């Protein structure tokens, strides 16, 4: 399948103009002209992921988080990003990143669906397209009121994760919820503004957590990877149905850390 055709399908899933201005999405390494017979999918372009893409003979690596985030002044073997880029180029592997473009187009929807949100709406509204408000995160009602402790267990089951961190009284009842997969401390003001009783997100530090509770918002920190790993199986199914001539291989779901 022509590379340009595959990229067009990726852009249908997450239009690049949806991305936040500070982000770096799209084709970051390689050519759009090459033939694509095998795609490797992962959340991050780590050393291990790049090596697995090479080992399986991938023509295209697709990740959620971009390997190249800020501007590069040089590509050498003197830093880990340069080494990864060099390896991709040496093995003729093109590389495409779908970060906040995917967050806006699909990630929050997927998370809200797993949580069974009723009447979800954009949490941080960014723009309107075709009569629909697009943005970061979702806010809606849980199917039923529950304690914060029960909600934490519900989140663990919905995202198949072993542990979460909870800020707030475990016995407090919650129903109106916001979710922001990834790093969501910047969404706390939007969650408060829209009346959320609990925010489900990742990367919440001590002060953000206790300050949110002081303002009436409980927080369930399910981890950055914990909420965003849903990107990989979704994109596997998406590409399998649209790129039937291409073999799509997804990285095994391995958490990048352990709680011991």
């Amino acid at each position: 399948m022509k590379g340009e055709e595959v990229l067009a399908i990726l852009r249908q899933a997450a239009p690049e103009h949806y991305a936040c201005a500070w982000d770096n999405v799209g084709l970051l390494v390689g050519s759009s002209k090459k033939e694509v017979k095998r795609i490797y999918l992962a959340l991050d372009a780590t050393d291990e992921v790049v090596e697995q893409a090479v080992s399986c003979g991938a023509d295209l690596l697709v990740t959620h988080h971009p390997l190249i985030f800020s501007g590069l002044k040089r590509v050498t073997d003197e830093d880990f990003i340069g080494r990864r880029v060099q390896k991709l180029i040496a093995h003729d592997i093109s590389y495409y990143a779908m970060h906040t473009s995917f967050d806006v187009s699909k990630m929050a929807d997927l998370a809200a669906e797993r949580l069974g949100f009723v009447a979800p709406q954009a949490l941080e509204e960014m723009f309107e397209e075709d009569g629909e408000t697009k943005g970061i995160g979702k806010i809606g009602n849980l199917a039923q009121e529950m304690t914060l402790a029960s909600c934490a267990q519900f989140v663990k089951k919905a995202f198949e994760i072993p542990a979460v961190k909870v800020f707030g009284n475990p016995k407090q009842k919650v129903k109106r919820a916001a979710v922001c997969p990834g790093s969501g401390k910047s969404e706390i003001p939007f969650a408060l503004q829209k009346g959320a009783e609990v925010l489900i997100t990742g990367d919440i530090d001590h002060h953000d957590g206790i300050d949110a509770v002081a303002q009436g918002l409980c927080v369930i920190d399910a981890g950055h990877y914990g909420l965003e790993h849903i990107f990989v199986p979704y994109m596997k199914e998406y590409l399998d149905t649209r790129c039937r001539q291409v073999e799509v291989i997804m990285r095994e779901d391995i958490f990048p850390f352990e709680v011991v």
Side-chain angles (χ1 to χ4, degrees), residues 181-192:
S183 181
K185 63 182 180 181
S186 63
E187 300 306 308
I188 290 174
F190 298 99
L192 285 166

Side-chain angles (χ1 to χ4, degrees), residues 13 33 47 54 70 74 128 133 141 153 173 197 201 206 225 239-240 244 255-256:
K33 307 295 183 183
D47 288 335
V54 171
S70 54
R74 59 180 63 87
E128 187 174 303
T133 302
N141 289 334
Q153 295 301 318
K173 296 290 185 67
E197 296 164 323
T201 188
H206 171 75
Y225 184 91
L239 290 169
D240 279 344
R244 297 188 182 277
F255 275 67

